[in-house]
Amino acid sequence: MRIFLKAMKVVALVCSFAISLCAFASGGAGAPNSDPVYQQLRNITLSGEAVAVTDLTLKRDAANFHLHSGTMCFVAPVQGKVTGAVFIGEGNMVLNPPLAVERSSLKLLTREDEFAEHFNKLVLRFTDGSYEEIKRAGAAASGGCDAGPLRDTQNALRHDRMLKYNLDARILQDVMSPEPGGLFVAFIHGKKYNDKEIFASDPHGAPPLIMPVAPEEVELITYDENRIGVWASFHYSSEYTNGVATGSQKNGVIHIEHQELDTTIEKNANLSAKATTGFVAGYNGVRVVPFNLYRTLRVQDVTGEGGQPLSFIQEDKNDDADFYVILPRALSRDEKYSITTRYAGKEAVSNEGNGNYFPIARDDWYPGYAGGSLGDYSSYDLTFRIPKGMKMAATGSLMSENTEGNQSVTVWKSDAPQPVAGFQFGNMKVEEVKLAAPQFLVSAYANDSPPDWAHGLQGETMGSLSTIVMMKQPLREAQFAIGLYTDFFGPLPFKRLAMTQQTACNYGQSWPELVWLPICSFYDTTVRHQLGLDWGDRGYWKVVAPHEVAHQWWGQDVGFNSYRDQWMSEGFADFSASLFLQSAYAQKGPKEFISFWDDERKSILEKNPQGYRAIDAGPLTLGYRLNNSRTGVSVTRDLIYPKGAYVLHMIRMMMWDRRSGDDNFKTTMQDFVRTFAGRAATTEDFKAMVEKHMTKEMDLDGNQRMDWFFNQYVYGTALPSYKLDYSFDNGADGVPLFNFKVTQSSVDESFHMLVPIYLELADGRIVNLGRARLSGNSSIEQKVPLKGMKDRPRRAVLNYYDDVLASP
Ligand SMILES: [Zn+2]
């Protein structure tokens, strides 16, 4: 290894003197990371070229870098392109995001009106013409260049466990492209907020430094272990005016159309595979393509069309191991190409004992597009080879199942384009049920032996650890949920669903036509108590299967491309579980349904160990950005699932009608699913769908828009309080008279809401009397004769079905 690295240094040296020679040498295949142009970028240092700058402002979208005075030292050119500089001097950076929600989020983080960072040191990496701009504005200078800050940046990107991003390979993309690049990254040694700040702007989506924020192009993050987070993220400012600033924007390097994956997993969990990936170029000049592949899956070789070996990049598994492939030539926009990757590794799947396996590389066990997420759909052909006697459950339809030697070989084909592919396997037993309407094959997979970690529990509880006897329950739940959700949301493009047991105890996951259920959801309450899992009895175990089944609609059929829209995936799945509880336990009345919504409200409103209520941490559309060391690392979970669910519940309740019940709501949801099947939907897409079907009563602004509602609950953090004072009198002709006063408080003056009033009748029935329309902090007082009612009601209640998310 050491010898190899030394040899590379020699190549780099040669190249810096003979640029044209390097151009010829590049594209040659061989060992990973051996491309000479890449090596030049990997080992880049300052060239000695420097300029003195005074009062120079670099405007990069919403950021203004004011360089009052100092020296800018450039890095050595690669392929004639200068891709970086180190600034030493006096400067500051002012960030003014184009979105109000971003400005207020920054304000919350800094407790100041303006984000202005000061620095004496700045490391820049770019492909956007910064070199020419700075050089033009500066005066030639010499000496005094310190390469230390550049080296620190390179080390942080490679080894800092908060970052591990191969920026050299990202820069290579633009250096090898015949088209001009647009990347700008600033490593800011801030003196005021943090000395580990990065501002980045990339036309193909900002780099996934802390978490993916693409397709947004601009971000400001800190990677300090004690203050890690995304401070701001947004589209290019101009995109907000020309209408392309959406979560479904396609600005990626490629779009993958088809994956053919031939995967072998051995008894010891070693995985080896051959992946043929067909894709189309997203812009002119695509030469280097970033893929997402789990770091321990080591690439052996990559071949192009016609079998020619291709050069690729994959650094050490403990470093910035991002997988990039260098194509033999630059593609033009919409041009198709296909590569074949052979790779293998040990730690992508874990052997949990007794024929239980757990896929650790959940969605990166094959090379997907690194900038993609649950909104990029591809077709899949999968072949799995696992030890004979074991069972495989994968996404798609099972085309064949054979034994070849000591392997069980199954072939799967996607029924519709999928945002992701996954699998579950082991010594499993299978049970199946065929549904008639809709036509669906539902199956359950469980392992009769517990994984190693559950061994301590054996003994008297051993009998109850067998999950086989419990298989019938997920089978029944899936059957019921598919029928119910099809009625509410419309049919799926899928034909089957496998409910499989996974050895991770406390979470489930959904795939197209496949669900992983946590093994602990198969256990009874006694075993779960032994495992210390009583927390889940708040309702988690009851809804985990219906929640995951609902993701077939929310996430798999209708996709969500951006973190800003993820609240719909999780929230709608949680909401669907409420429909399940309402219908499945209907004979018990609304008890399960109401206690579900009470629990959801508690998650949103209870203070976490950091002293924050999830609702105050920020709006739903900040998604996983809300998790940080200050407000808590589970605050997003406590917000987007339950509050996302509440948003849809409130819409359902507003649309509910005494005569037609849920008809209008069902029409809305079915229209939404039909319109966005097989592609990504955004929050604005959903809002437009609600506006298309909203009732007259919901039009509180009189403009056929739902801005009032979305601004309060989706883009905002409003939480009203309500009070009902009432009495019943005898009216003149013996008709009971209902006198009431509803008060709304703790809100802005612009806050509107429809607040339903329910009566519990003398015979115990609950009826909806109507909805009070309230604005700001105000009250409504009325006397209503209860015509046709002989006896006085027992009581009056607001929001009986938790119709409005409000303080309890
Ligand atoms: Zn979920």
Side-chain angles (χ1 to χ4, degrees):
M1 194 63 192
R2 196 168 295 157
I3 293 161
F4 170 68
L5 275 177
K6 268 187 185 162
M8 282 306 104
K9 270 189 188 140
V10 174
V11 171
L13 197 69
V14 169
C15 283
S16 63
F17 288 104
I19 286 157
S20 59
L21 220 157
C22 287
F24 272 101
S26 75
N33 316 316
S34 62
D35 181 87
V37 182
Y38 172 66
Q39 278 303 322
Q40 277 182 281
L41 286 168
R42 191 73 177 167
N43 299 306
I44 207 158
T45 188
L46 299 181
S47 65
E49 183 185 12
V51 290
V53 291
T54 21
D55 289 326
L56 169 63
T57 300
L58 295 177
K59 182 168 170 47
R60 292 297 176 269
D61 199 75
N64 275 311
F65 291 84
H66 303 287
L67 308 176
H68 304 310
S69 70
T71 309
M72 193 71 91
C73 299
F74 296 105
V75 301
V78 175
Q79 303 278 83
K81 297 177 184 176
V82 175
T83 59
V86 174
F87 171 81
I88 307 284
E90 265 307 314
N92 76 339
M93 187 274 259
V94 178
L95 186 70
N96 186 22
L99 282 178
V101 59
E102 290 297 326
R103 288 192 295 271
S104 55
S105 150
L106 264 185
K107 216 172 186 174
L108 200 76
L109 289 164
T110 61
R111 298 187 176 91
E112 284 172 333
D113 286 338
E114 185 189 60
F115 182 92
E117 179 62 283
H118 301 274
F119 52 81
N120 294 125
K121 257 192 303 190
L122 188 67
V123 176
L124 302 177
R125 298 306 308 271
F126 44 71
T127 61
D128 66 344
S130 290
Y131 170 66
E132 292 74 13
E133 184 182 347
I134 297 165
K135 225 189 138 180
R136 223 177 15 245
S142 63
C145 286
D146 176 11
L150 176 66
R151 251 189 331 267
D152 292 346
T153 302
Q154 288 165 327
N155 280 331
L157 282 162
R158 288 166 203 187
H159 310 303
D160 192 305
R161 66 183 189 91
M162 299 295 138
L163 283 179
K164 293 195 181 178
Y165 174 68
N166 194 335
L167 180 63
D168 306 314
R170 168 63 192 90
I171 293 170
L172 181 72
Q173 244 173 268
D174 293 352
V175 166
M176 290 188 104
S177 173
E179 300 289 320
L183 178 73
F184 180 86
V185 185
F187 299 83
I188 306 162
H189 293 263
K191 295 201 292 188
K192 194 166 162 192
Y193 305 118
N194 202 281
D195 70 343
K196 291 180 171 180
E197 276 166 19
I198 300 177
F199 170 85
S201 161
D202 185 337
H204 308 303
L209 296 171
I210 299 297
M211 57 167 270
V213 297
E216 292 178 340
E217 292 90 354
V218 186
E219 69 182 343
L220 176 74
I221 64 125
T222 51
Y223 61 98
D224 182 337
E225 213 158 318
N226 301 313
R227 239 192 146 182
I228 186 160
V230 179
W231 291 53
S233 170
F234 40 89
H235 288 275
Y236 285 138
S237 300
S238 60
E239 296 186 356
Y240 293 95
T241 39
N242 62 25
V244 290
T246 78
S248 55
Q249 186 189 11
K250 298 283 179 221
N251 56 2
V253 177
I254 56 160
H255 160 65
I256 294 176
E257 291 188 317
H258 185 70
Q259 294 271 19
E260 200 175 310
L261 311 173
D262 191 330
T263 309
T264 303
I265 307 167
E266 289 157 44
K267 206 164 176 216
N268 66 4
N270 191 60
L271 184 151
S272 56
K274 187 178 125 182
T276 301
T277 307
F279 55 87
V280 288
Y283 58 95
N284 282 332
V286 171
R287 180 77 195 280
V288 181
V289 183
F291 290 98
N292 191 27
L293 185 67
Y294 191 64
R295 58 188 173 78
T296 68
L297 291 171
R298 307 306 297 173
V299 176
Q300 288 150 1
D301 55 51
V302 184
T303 49
E305 289 174 348
Q308 81 191 99
L310 299 184
S311 193
F312 65 94
I313 295 158
Q314 189 187 36
E315 295 289 346
D316 189 272
K317 70 175 160 71
N318 298 313
D319 289 340
D320 50 341
D322 310 282
F323 174 41
Y324 282 74
V325 174
I326 304 173
L327 304 179
R329 60 184 169 80
L331 304 179
S332 37
R333 190 190 168 95
D334 295 333
E335 193 177 344
K336 296 188 184 196
Y337 198 77
S338 161
I339 60 160
T340 298
T341 309
R342 288 196 309 143
Y343 56 95
K346 261 207 174 74
E347 294 149 51
V349 176
S350 133
N351 182 351
E352 302 278 297
N354 289 325
N356 289 278
Y357 291 87
F358 180 62
I360 293 170
R362 290 190 272 163
D363 50 12
D364 49 5
W365 56 277
Y366 60 92
Y369 171 52
S373 52
L374 283 179
D376 204 22
Y377 287 72
S378 316
S379 59
Y380 289 83
D381 281 301
L382 312 177
T383 301
F384 286 101
R385 300 162 203 278
I386 56 173
K388 192 168 96 180
M390 289 191 188
K391 277 277 172 200
M392 168 60 68
T395 51
S397 271
L398 178 62
M399 307 308 287
S400 68
E401 183 167 22
N402 293 301
T403 303
E404 288 174 19
N406 56 2
Q407 287 181 327
S408 163
V409 182
T410 52
V411 176
W412 308 76
K413 195 174 183 57
S414 49
D415 288 316
Q418 298 174 180
V420 66
F423 63 90
Q424 187 63 260
F425 77 104
N427 281 339
M428 298 196 287
K429 300 273 181 296
V430 189
E431 260 193 59
E432 289 182 343
V433 181
K434 277 202 173 77
L435 307 189
Q439 284 208 347
F440 232 80
L441 178 69
V442 186
S443 46
Y445 289 66
N447 192 323
D448 59 355
S449 309
D452 286 342
W453 63 258
H455 274 183
L457 294 165
Q458 298 209 20
E460 57 203 84
T461 50
M462 191 167 163
S464 44
L465 279 182
S466 172
T467 50
I468 295 292
V469 291
M470 294 293 285
M471 274 169 81
K472 295 237 182 295
Q473 192 183 331
L475 205 58
R476 264 199 314 269
E477 288 179 337
Q479 230 175 305
F480 188 84
I482 288 166
L484 177 71
Y485 300 162
T486 302
D487 176 45
F488 266 84
F489 312 136
L492 286 173
F494 309 132
K495 298 184 177 75
R496 56 186 287 281
L497 184 64
M499 305 292 285
T500 68
Q501 165 199 307
Q502 72 155 340
T503 57
C505 173
N506 57 358
Y507 73 94
Q509 190 163 350
S510 191
W511 306 84
E513 310 190 47
L514 173 68
V515 162
W516 293 357
L517 285 175
I519 191 170
C520 296
S521 71
F522 285 73
Y523 296 155
D524 62 24
T525 44
T526 323
V527 176
R528 285 207 291 256
H529 177 70
Q530 271 194 306
L531 286 165
L533 296 171
D534 300 321
W535 53 266
D537 292 330
R538 205 190 224 184
Y540 176 77
W541 305 111
K542 235 178 219 165
V543 299
V544 61
H547 174 105
E548 299 304 339
V549 173
H551 275 306
Q552 296 301 305
W553 280 263
W554 317 123
Q556 308 308 345
D557 187 15
V558 178
F560 304 99
N561 202 39
S562 147
Y563 72 94
R564 296 224 184 238
D565 308 308
Q566 200 172 358
W567 69 271
M568 293 197 284
S569 175
E570 296 306 345
F572 289 15
D574 250 22
F575 165 85
S576 306
S578 85
L579 294 178
F580 179 93
L581 292 176
Q582 188 179 30
S583 292
Y585 301 96
Q587 76 283 3
K588 288 202 275 179
K591 197 174 134 260
E592 294 284 348
F593 182 68
I594 289 172
S595 75
F596 172 85
W597 288 113
D598 288 345
D599 287 341
E600 294 283 83
R601 193 181 51 239
K602 279 178 198 151
S603 296
I604 305 165
L605 299 184
E606 272 177 5
K607 278 189 179 168
N608 67 10
Q610 286 75 20
Y612 279 87
R613 302 190 306 177
I615 195 169
D616 301 324
L620 284 172
T621 47
L622 284 182
Y624 278 92
R625 279 178 53 191
L626 292 169
N627 279 351
N628 61 49
S629 31
R630 201 163 61 89
T631 53
V633 292
S634 68
V635 73
T636 301
R637 171 70 186 80
D638 295 336
L639 186 76
I640 68 169
Y641 286 63
K643 195 183 172 194
Y646 250 108
V647 164
L648 194 53
H649 175 63
M650 287 191 273
I651 291 169
R652 178 191 179 199
M653 289 323 206
M654 284 191 276
M655 286 186 165
W656 186 87
D657 179 88
R658 212 168 295 154
R659 282 177 302 278
S660 54
D662 280 315
D663 284 358
N664 191 23
F665 177 70
K666 287 179 185 176
T667 305
T668 308
M669 298 311 282
Q670 289 169 13
D671 195 359
F672 183 56
V673 169
R674 218 173 21 244
T675 308
F676 293 96
R679 62 190 177 106
T682 65
T683 303
E684 284 298 307
D685 292 330
F686 177 63
K687 174 169 167 280
M689 192 55 76
V690 176
E691 287 167 349
K692 183 178 166 188
H693 296 281
M694 67 197 275
T695 63
K696 261 210 172 72
E697 194 185 17
M698 289 161 77
D699 194 7
L700 296 189
D701 281 339
N703 58 0
Q704 197 61 28
R705 301 290 298 261
M706 287 295 285
D707 294 283
W708 65 271
F709 177 75
F710 277 74
N711 288 343
Q712 290 163 189
Y713 282 100
V714 178
Y715 300 116
T717 59
L719 183 74
S721 291
Y722 293 102
K723 191 165 165 265
L724 173 67
D725 299 300
Y726 68 92
S727 63
F728 296 107
D729 288 334
N730 281 331
D733 39 8
V735 173
L737 195 65
F738 176 46
N739 312 302
F740 70 89
K741 181 180 172 190
V742 189
T743 307
Q744 175 173 277
S745 60
S746 318
V747 291
D748 285 346
E749 283 314 309
S750 63
F751 185 96
H752 301 313
M753 202 62 219
L754 290 174
V755 185
I757 304 169
Y758 292 89
L759 296 178
E760 185 178 332
L761 304 186
D763 61 9
R765 276 185 302 137
I766 303 288
V767 295
N768 183 327
L769 187 72
R771 300 179 179 96
R773 183 179 168 155
L774 289 147
S775 284
N777 298 298
S778 65
S779 301
I780 286 182
E781 246 180 302
Q782 232 174 301
K783 289 182 196 300
V784 181
L786 302 173
K787 284 177 192 150
M789 210 174 279
K790 270 191 245 128
D791 303 311
R792 277 189 192 191
R794 287 184 196 164
R795 62 182 180 128
V797 202
L798 292 178
N799 297 326
Y800 180 81
Y801 294 109
D802 292 288
D803 313 54
V804 178
L805 176 58
S807 293

